């Protein structure tokens, strides 16, 4: 069979919904025309962080005029639990205990939200307050974990530390992050006949929402259909977090027989939904005078909130990335997923990986300041290298050495050495303003660490007019997944992209899908869609070969025409002919990621198919009197393999970097002593705005370097890895602060590096410099 | 309930509203113009920007009754005779969007900038858009789109002279 490709892949096509977005035509759940009689739902929230519920009298709420239905824990026909790992620790509505401030206690439905909100005020609650555990330190003291931690070990740690010429220990606090997707959580439920329920949810995981709705309603999954056309952003915040709101909408719909919608406003969304885990990392390292790491011991404790949610896999992934690109000859890493009386933290772009990587980079920094070496040189000396220095703490061999190449290329292109000199000179000449420079690498493992999630399905229909409709298990949250999959199918069928329509993701079309998460959307679904397209193409070729009495190998398929010798037909004619000959024109596709395996108990395996790599260099200027700073310039070199769509990938790199920069600089979540989140709106929680972008930003994607693994058209995943490029900004700030004490003291600047924290670090170093001078 | 009358996207509309109804609620729920989004409910994110008498306004910070008699333009009213406005065209071509939720507000906000200043610098675009949040793009392609639209509109204006 000959191939005449239309080269649909690797082209910078716009997002498939771009035209609909710029005209306002694109429909999100809250934009759908509401069916007549739709009820709006208000959630009543717990007023304290921890308490026993002694009485909850909802009669006055039910009696309020206009209230259609009131639901609490006792009103759930199925199981009052939406734990994604089936731990039974995550009730839809609080049972007999309040576990965090803001926890939903009950729902009120009315035709107007204002009515429901007013009615909720009339509830009578009697509570017995209990001591609330709010911090990681307190939770560790109590030893209360939401799920079992993980230990990764290799080599003899004790001996490694003992024999190391130098040792030090320290700890690092890492802040959390609110997803701040612009479209908040929302679901619309429509009851049908015979116990059926249709749900439109803004979720990255429609199959899980389906499963949870079925559990909560006490019906079989086949009664529930969940549909997702698009999300207004997800970032991990809609991987498990959408379930609760979809379930409540479905409960109201099932109870009343009326359509029901639950949309959180921004404050509710920030109070009610889990965030990126904040971490506390204790480390002990052994190294030598040449900056070579001999041994690393780390304990990574995460604030998980009141339930496990995905905290097990998140803290696992933190451990998987606590090496970043560096070989630890002897190592022991342990995670502590701590239970606290706060909202249950969840997936967020990077999924624990960024926190682990920050810890690794802190280790590098400590060694650099202790030895007086440039941090970049310390990085180089500790890179994984083939032949003896290539085993990760989880015993996977690192075959990828791209990160080292990226670092060298970027250092040369962006002029690290010259600019290091210039920064030094600037800092010599300026008393109050200091510059900082840092170049940090990223190596991010691609695959779900829960091996079974690494599967995907697709469904492809060819209609009699030759138009094609495609479904796959992935969801569109703005990342450009649909256009990439369209390109894959258009390429395979050699059709113009307009001939293929992508339909909303639906549990009724492709079942048992995995979350669109772990950067795996196009890797998994692209392969599944390709499989379906190949099946249909094979059938059509077999049909026409038999019709023309020619060998299938002689068929040339390309540009909408199918040829063999002097015989020729159009795709449309072939489809109609195949239909009349009763050739099935619909096919499913399936993919499972090869090679991966993981034995969690033994801490060994190959949890990742490959690594996506990148490097970033940031330069900052800090006002040492106020702690305020600017990011002057950022240079990025990132590896996406053979990009399926370079425009989309570039957007992911730019957006991921800026989001990561927000996490590490301005985005500060703050709970008060009562466990109340005090930063629950953009007025107090500052995500990057248009003017916060670095003054100069040069981004280049590595070209001509296809994925060494057989991924979809040799591309690489790009959703999460670029977020971690922003670690260079934190380290550049640290570098600027370190200049105060002549780079002899590690500033231990913990993120988020708000101006307040930067100033505190500056003052700490000033005192330390004075002390040194006095001695 | 008071009746409010205004011109929306060139068409006169009127409806009964509670006095506390926000303009954005009237547009979305009353008129079904759902291209104007609500992102933060508190006049900070800019997803709900529309034009009222030629000025960009966060439609969640204005009551419907305050727009009595006004000329309101929403994202749905921007494309003339089925062809995209240069700003819409530019956001499309320059990948100025990802999830698209902030896009209508970004475009409507930028529209006033370009009406006031047909040739803004990058810094001016960035400053103008401080009140419009985007969580996906990192703003790079948004700024690029606005600058591209400005150039296209200046070109069209010169051609018309």
């Amino acid at each position: 069979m000959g191939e005449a490709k239309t080269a649909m892949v690797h082209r910078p096509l716009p997002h498939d919904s771009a035209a609909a977005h710029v005209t306002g035509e694109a429909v999100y759940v809250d934009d759908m025309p509401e069916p007549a009689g739709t009820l709006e739902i208000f959630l009543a929230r717990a007023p304290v962080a921890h308490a026993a519920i002694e009485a909850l009298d909802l009669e006055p709420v039910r009696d309020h005029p206009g209230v259609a239905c009131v639901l609490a824990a006792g009103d759930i026909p199925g199981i009052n639990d939406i734990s994604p790992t089936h731990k039974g620790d995550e009730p839809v509505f609080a049972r007999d205990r309040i576990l965090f401030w803001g926890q939903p206690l009950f729902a009120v439905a009315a035709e107007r939200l204002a009515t429901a909100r007013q009615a909720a005020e009339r509830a009578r609650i009697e509570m017995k307050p209990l001591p609330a555990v709010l911090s990681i330190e307190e939770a560790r003291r109590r030893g209360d974990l939401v799920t079992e931690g993980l230990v990764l070990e290799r080599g003899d740690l004790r001996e490694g530390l003992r024999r190391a010429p130098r040792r030090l220990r320290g700890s690092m606090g890492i802040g959390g992050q609110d997803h701040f997707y612009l479209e908040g959580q929302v679901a619309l439920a429509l009851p049908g006949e015979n116990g059926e329920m249709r749900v439109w949810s803004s979720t990255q995981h429609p199959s899980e929402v389906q499963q949870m709705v079925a559990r909560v309603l006490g019906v079989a999954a086949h009664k529930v259909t969940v549909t997702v056309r698009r999300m207004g952003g997800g970032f991990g915040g809609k991987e498990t977090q959408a379930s609760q709101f979809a379930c409540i909408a479905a409960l109201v719909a099932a109870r009343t027989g009326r359509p029901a919608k639950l949309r959180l406003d921004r404050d509710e969304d920030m109070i009610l939904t889990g965030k990126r885990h904040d971490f506390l990392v204790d480390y002990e390292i052994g190294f030598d005078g040449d900056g070579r790491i001999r041994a690393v011991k780390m304990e990574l404790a995460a604030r998980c909130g009141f339930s496990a949610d995905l905290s097990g896999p998140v803290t696992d992934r933190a451990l998987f990335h606590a090496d970043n690109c560096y070989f630890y000859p002897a190592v022991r890493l342990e995670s502590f997923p701590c239970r606290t009386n706060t909202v249950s933290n969840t997936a967020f772009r990077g999924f624990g990986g960024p926190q682990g990587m920050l810890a690794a980079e802190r280790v590098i920094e400590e060694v650099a300041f202790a030895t007086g070496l440039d941090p970049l040189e310390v990085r180089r000396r500790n890179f994984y290298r083939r032949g003896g220095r290539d085993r990760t703490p989880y015993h996977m061999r690192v075959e990828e050495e791209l990160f080292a190449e990226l670092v060298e290329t970027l250092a040369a292109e962006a002029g690290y050495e010259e600019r290091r000199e210039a920064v030094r000179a600037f800092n010599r000449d300026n008393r109050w303003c200091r510059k900082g420079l840092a170049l940090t690498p990223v190596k991010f493992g691609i695959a779900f660490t829960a091996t079974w999630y690494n599967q995907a399905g697709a469904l492809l229909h060819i209609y009699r007019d030759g138009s094609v409709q495609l479904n796959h298990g992935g969801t569109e949250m703005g990342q450009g997944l649909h256009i990439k999959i369209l390109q894959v199918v258009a390429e395979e069928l050699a059709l113009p992209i307009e001939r293929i329509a992508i339909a909303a993701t639906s549990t009724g079309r492709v079942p048992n899908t995995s979350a669109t998460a772990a950067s795996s959307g196009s890797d998994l679904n692209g392969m599944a869609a390709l499989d379906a397209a190949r099946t249909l193409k094979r059938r059509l070729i077999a049909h026409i070969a038999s019709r023309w009495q020619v060998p299938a190998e002689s068929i040339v398929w390309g540009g909408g025409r199918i040829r063999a010798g002097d015989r020729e037909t159009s795709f449309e004619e072939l489809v109609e002919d195949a239909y009349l000959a009763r050739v099935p024109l619909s096919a499913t596709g399936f993919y499972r990621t090869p090679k991966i395996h993981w034995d969690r108990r033994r801490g060994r395996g190959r949890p990742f198919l490959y690594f996506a790599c990148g490097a970033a260099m940031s330069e900052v200027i800090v006002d040492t009197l106020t702690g305020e700073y600017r990011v002057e310039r950022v240079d990025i070199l990132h590896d996406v393999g053979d990009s399926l769509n370079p425009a989309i990938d570039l957007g992911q790199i730019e957006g991921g970097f800026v989001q990561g920069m927000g996490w590490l600089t301005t985005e500060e979540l703050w709970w008060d002593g009562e466990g109340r989140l005090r930063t629950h709106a953009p007025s107090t929680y500052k995500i990057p705005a248009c003017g916060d972008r670095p003054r100069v930003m040069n981004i280049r994607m590595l070209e001509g370097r296809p994925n060494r693994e057989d991924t979809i058209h040799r591309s690489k995943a790009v959703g999460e890895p670029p977020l971690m490029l922003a670690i260079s900004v934190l380290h550049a700030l640290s570098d600027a602060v370190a200049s105060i004490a002549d780079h002899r003291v590690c500033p231990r600047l913990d993120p988020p590096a708000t101006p307040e924290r930067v100033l505190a670090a500056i003052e700490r170093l000033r005192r330390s410099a004075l002390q040194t001078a006095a001695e | 309930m008071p009746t409010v009358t205004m011109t929306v996207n060139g068409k006169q509309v009127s409806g009964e509203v509670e006095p506390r109804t926000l303009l954005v609620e009237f547009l979305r729920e009353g008129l079904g113009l759902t291209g104007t989004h609500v992102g933060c409910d508190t006049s900070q994110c800019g997803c709900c920007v529309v034009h009222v008498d030629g000025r960009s306004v966060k439609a969640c910070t204005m009551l419907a009754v305050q727009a009595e008699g006004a000329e309101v333009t929403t994202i749905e009213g921007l494309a003339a005779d089925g062809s995209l406005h240069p700003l819409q065209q530019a956001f499309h071509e320059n990948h100025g969007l990802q999830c698209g939720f902030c896009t209508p507000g970004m475009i409507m906000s930028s529209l006033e900038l370009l009406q006031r200043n047909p040739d803004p610098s990058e810094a001016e675009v960035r400053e103008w858009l401080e009140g419009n949040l985007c969580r996906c793009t990192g703003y790079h392609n948004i700024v690029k789109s606005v600058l591209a639209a400005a150039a296209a509109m200046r070109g069209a204006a010169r051609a018309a002279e």
Side-chain angles (χ1 to χ4, degrees):
Chain A
M1 188 178 91
E3 290 286 322
K5 300 254 174 181
T6 51
M8 277 299 172
V9 290
H10 312 311
R11 281 174 53 190
L13 299 181
H15 193 284
D16 60 295
S17 291
H21 285 312
V22 298
T23 55
E25 197 192 320
V27 173
Y28 303 83
V29 174
D30 196 35
D31 300 340
M32 293 170 61
E34 287 179 12
T38 297
L39 295 169
E40 309 257 354
I41 303 167
F42 177 74
L43 295 181
R45 306 192 301 265
V48 295
H50 195 195
I53 302 174
E54 299 193 316
L56 180 60
D57 180 8
L58 298 177
E59 281 316 306
V61 186
R62 291 200 173 91
D63 292 343
H64 189 84
V67 167
C69 138
V70 180
L71 294 173
D75 302 304
I76 292 177
I79 299 165
N80 183 15
D81 179 59
I82 49 167
S83 161
T85 43
H86 306 297
K87 285 192 162 20
D89 62 355
E90 201 163 330
V92 177
F93 297 117
R95 296 174 191 127
D96 48 358
R97 238 173 215 226
I98 288 167
L99 297 169
F100 75 99
W101 177 78
Q103 184 176 16
L105 299 178
F106 61 93
V108 187
E111 286 199 1
R112 294 166 29 85
L113 189 59
T115 311
R117 191 188 292 265
Q118 276 164 6
E121 294 290 320
R122 303 182 62 187
R124 285 193 287 261
I125 311 170
E126 284 172 38
M127 300 170 295
K128 191 175 131 211
L130 297 167
V133 177
L134 301 174
S135 68
I136 296 174
E137 293 91 332
E138 172 70 8
R140 273 207 71 180
R141 267 196 298 279
R142 295 169 63 104
D144 193 2
L145 303 181
V146 292
T147 186
E148 200 186 350
L150 175 67
V151 176
L152 299 180
E153 277 183 293
R154 211 200 57 252
D156 188 337
L157 176 79
R158 189 186 297 223
E159 198 54 16
L161 283 174
R162 197 178 63 79
R163 289 197 171 186
R166 304 184 62 178
R167 276 185 299 277
L168 63 81
R169 28 171 107 214
S171 65
M172 178 183 202
I174 299 168
Q177 185 178 26
D178 190 88
H179 302 83
F180 214 100
Y181 28 64
L182 264 295
E183 179 213 29
Q185 303 278 349
V186 58
L188 172 69
L190 188 63
E193 61 186 54
N194 202 16
E196 288 169 0
M197 186 64 66
R198 283 198 283 162
V199 180
W200 287 265
S201 166
S202 182
T203 176
Q204 294 170 241
H205 201 346
S207 284
E208 187 167 273
V209 170
Q210 175 200 29
Q211 190 189 359
M212 294 300 166
V213 167
R215 271 163 66 89
V216 166
L217 292 181
V219 301
H222 66 197
K223 298 278 192 194
V224 181
T225 305
V226 177
T227 303
V228 181
R229 175 57 191 92
R230 62 171 59 79
M231 281 162 272
F235 316 115
K238 294 170 181 173
E239 183 170 349
T240 61
Q241 302 296 292
S243 290
Q244 186 165 27
F245 314 110
C247 284
I248 294 171
L251 283 164
V252 170
R255 170 65 76 92
T256 60
R258 293 168 68 173
K261 181 154 91 177
L262 176 47
R263 170 196 173 271
L264 301 187
D265 68 29
R266 180 59 52 184
D267 297 77
E268 291 170 327
D269 192 294
M270 291 185 75
I271 290 166
L272 286 180
T273 64
K275 309 174 193 316
R276 186 189 294 286
H277 293 67
D278 40 333
F279 271 63
L280 188 60
V281 184
D282 294 311
Y283 50 87
E284 184 175 359
I285 50 184
F287 54 101
D288 63 25
D290 292 333
R292 284 196 177 75
I293 295 167
R294 297 285 185 88
V296 173
K297 181 185 176 207
M298 275 191 210
E299 294 185 349
L300 295 96
R303 184 162 69 153
C304 300
F306 75 96
S307 73
D309 185 74
L310 299 173
S311 295
V314 166
T315 47
D316 285 4
R317 188 169 273 269
L319 261 53
F320 287 128
H321 290 83
D323 58 342
N324 196 10
C325 305
Y326 314 115
F327 176 66
Y328 302 155
V331 58
R332 186 178 193 280
L333 309 172
E334 185 171 7
S335 65
F336 296 86
C338 298
R339 188 189 306 278
T340 50
N341 292 113
T342 48
V343 68
S344 186
N345 284 331
T346 191
F348 193 143
R349 204 175 197 170
F351 204 74
Q355 292 95 320
M357 215 175 273
L358 277 174
E361 293 301 336
R362 166 61 69 81
V363 166
I364 293 292
E365 207 183 21
E366 289 274 17
V367 173
F369 291 121
T371 56
L373 290 162
D374 187 299
L376 181 58
E377 188 51 33
V378 175
R379 291 186 170 98
R380 286 181 178 127
R381 290 183 187 181
N382 289 287
F383 277 152
Y384 280 113
R385 267 190 199 92
R386 276 184 223 211
R389 291 175 61 87
D390 57 0
R391 287 279 172 184
T392 64
Y394 44 97
H395 301 262
M396 175 173 168
R397 172 168 280 144
V398 179
E399 293 166 340
E400 187 65 85
E401 287 178 329
L402 210 48
F403 49 85
E405 185 188 325
L406 289 170
V407 163
E408 294 318 324
T409 308
L410 184 65
E413 282 181 0
Y416 183 85
E417 295 303 331
E418 304 88 278
R419 284 168 62 196
R420 169 57 70 199
E421 265 318 303
V423 163
R424 250 186 226 124
F426 181 92
N427 289 345
R428 260 197 311 273
D429 300 342
N430 286 275
R431 187 167 174 203
W432 304 120
C433 283
R434 294 298 175 97
K435 285 191 172 182
L437 185 70
L439 198 169
T440 59
V442 170
K443 165 185 131 289
F444 193 76
I446 302 299
F448 285 99
T449 52
T451 306
W452 63 91
Y453 283 150
N454 296 287
Q455 59 173 310
L459 176 64
L460 204 57
H461 301 318
I462 304 176
Y463 295 102
R464 283 177 69 184
D465 65 353
S467 66
V468 178
Q469 194 188 62
L470 166 67
N471 264 97
H472 61 84
T475 54
E476 178 65 46
M477 60 195 99
Q479 82 279 42
L481 174 61
H482 284 347
I483 185 65
K484 285 184 170 180
I485 310 282
L486 280 170
Q487 287 174 273
V488 166
V489 173
E491 173 93 13
E492 188 58 30
L493 298 180
L495 289 175
I497 226 140
E498 303 75 43
R499 295 297 285 162
I500 307 162
I502 208 145
T505 310
S506 166
T507 56
R509 299 290 192 97
V510 179
N512 310 321
T513 54
S514 296
T516 308
S519 305
S520 68
S522 46
D523 276 19
L524 296 177
N525 296 292
M527 282 299 212
L530 181 66
D531 182 45
R534 282 186 173 156
T535 299
L536 286 174
K537 192 170 161 183
R538 254 196 321 270
R539 283 185 203 153
L540 289 169
I541 285 173
H543 166 72
I544 198 68
S546 122
R547 165 85 76 218
W548 287 344
Q549 298 287 302
V550 297
E553 297 73 40
S554 67
I555 306 280
V556 178
W557 179 299
R561 308 293 296 175
I562 291 90
R563 287 179 219 95
D566 56 356
R567 309 287 294 268
E568 183 173 340
T569 182
S570 71
F571 180 75
E572 286 75 13
E573 288 161 348
L574 169 57
V575 165
E576 177 64 9
D577 195 54
Y579 166 77
L580 294 173
R582 298 184 293 174
V583 173
L585 294 174
S586 175
T588 59
F590 189 79
Y591 177 70
R592 65 175 75 84
T593 309
K595 294 188 180 179
I596 50 174
H597 54 91
W598 170 238
D599 182 341
R600 189 175 188 274
R601 201 180 45 78
R602 295 176 60 230
R604 282 168 181 262
R606 176 184 177 153
F608 306 121
L609 180 61
Y610 63 90
F611 295 102
C613 301
M617 178 161 149
S618 294
E619 184 174 333
V620 300
I621 184 162
V622 176
D623 180 336
T624 62
L625 292 175
T626 63
E628 289 168 297
Y629 53 80
R630 268 201 324 251
V631 182
E632 296 275 271
R633 174 174 165 185
V634 175
D635 295 85
I636 289 171
L637 183 58
H638 197 78
D639 152 43
V640 291
D642 275 349
S643 171
L644 284 176
N645 182 322
I648 296 287
D649 286 355
L650 190 59
Q652 288 297 302
I653 298 169
E654 287 161 356
F657 174 85
V658 170
Q659 197 174 68
M661 195 174 101
W663 170 46
L664 297 173
T665 58
T666 61
E667 295 182 36
E668 186 174 29
L669 289 163
W670 200 81
W671 280 264
D672 67 14
E674 309 287 307
R676 293 176 294 194
L677 177 67
R678 291 313 210 184
T679 48
H680 50 76
S683 51
T684 45
Y685 183 77
K686 187 166 165 32
I687 70 166
C690 200
D692 295 328
R693 181 182 174 274
R695 297 296 157 106
V696 180
M697 206 163 157
N698 304 309
I699 302 180
R700 193 162 78 79
M701 288 183 284
L702 189 65
E703 281 175 39
R705 298 299 288 269
N707 195 337
R708 56 197 296 139
E709 298 298 335
D710 188 13
T711 52
I712 185 75
H713 292 285
R714 299 276 172 181
S715 62
K716 278 194 178 182
V718 71
E720 294 163 293
L723 181 121
M724 285 151 273
L725 296 168
I727 294 173
S728 61
V729 174
L730 179 71
H731 280 259
L733 287 168
S734 173
D735 185 56
V737 173
S739 72
I740 304 277
D742 207 20
H743 293 88
R744 282 175 312 194
V745 182
C746 182
R748 295 189 173 174
L749 180 61
D750 289 353
T754 57
E756 189 182 350
R757 291 237 179 124
V758 170
L759 187 61
I762 287 167
E763 288 178 349
R764 215 162 45 237
L765 262 67
R766 281 218 172 99
R767 281 196 298 275
S768 145
L770 281 176
Q771 261 169 17
T772 313
E775 281 157 16
Chain B
M1 282 200 290
T3 301
V4 65
T5 303
M6 63 186 88
T7 307
V8 177
N9 299 332
K11 252 175 41 194
Q12 191 174 325
V13 297
S14 59
E16 283 195 350
V17 294
E18 271 193 86
R20 64 175 172 183
T21 304
L22 299 170
L23 177 59
V24 70
E25 292 169 342
F26 180 68
L27 294 171
R28 286 178 57 84
E29 289 155 33
L31 305 179
L33 294 170
T34 54
T36 304
H37 300 140
V38 180
C40 73
D41 308 85
T42 48
S43 306
Q44 297 171 80
C45 75
C47 288
C48 65
V49 171
V50 299
H51 278 220
V52 177
D53 292 331
R55 299 286 302 272
S56 62
V57 167
K58 288 179 176 173
C60 75
T61 207
M62 184 173 185
L63 298 168
V65 291
Q66 288 178 292
E68 172 68 34
E71 292 266 353
V72 176
T73 308
T74 71
I75 189 72
E76 289 92 345
L78 202 52
D81 314 320
S83 65
L84 294 180
H85 185 277
L87 265 166
Q88 294 173 309
Q89 194 70 39
F91 271 73
H92 188 172
E93 285 169 4
N94 293 283
H95 310 278
L97 56 93
Q98 286 181 27
C99 85
F101 203 81
C102 74
T103 311
M106 284 286 177
I107 290 176
M108 296 310 287
S109 207
S110 305
L111 180 64
E112 192 191 351
L113 169 67
L114 299 190
Q115 283 166 353
R116 288 172 171 222
N117 178 0
D119 191 9
S121 67
E122 185 187 327
E124 285 168 329
V125 174
R126 289 191 176 279
E127 196 190 343
W128 182 267
L129 290 177
E130 278 286 301
N132 288 77
L133 296 177
C134 167
R135 191 54 152 167
C136 299
T137 64
Y139 303 99
H140 182 79
N141 287 344
I142 289 174
V143 174
K144 195 169 145 195
S145 301
V146 176
L147 292 172
M153 286 163 76
R154 288 196 305 275
R158 268 198 302 276
E161 275 162 15

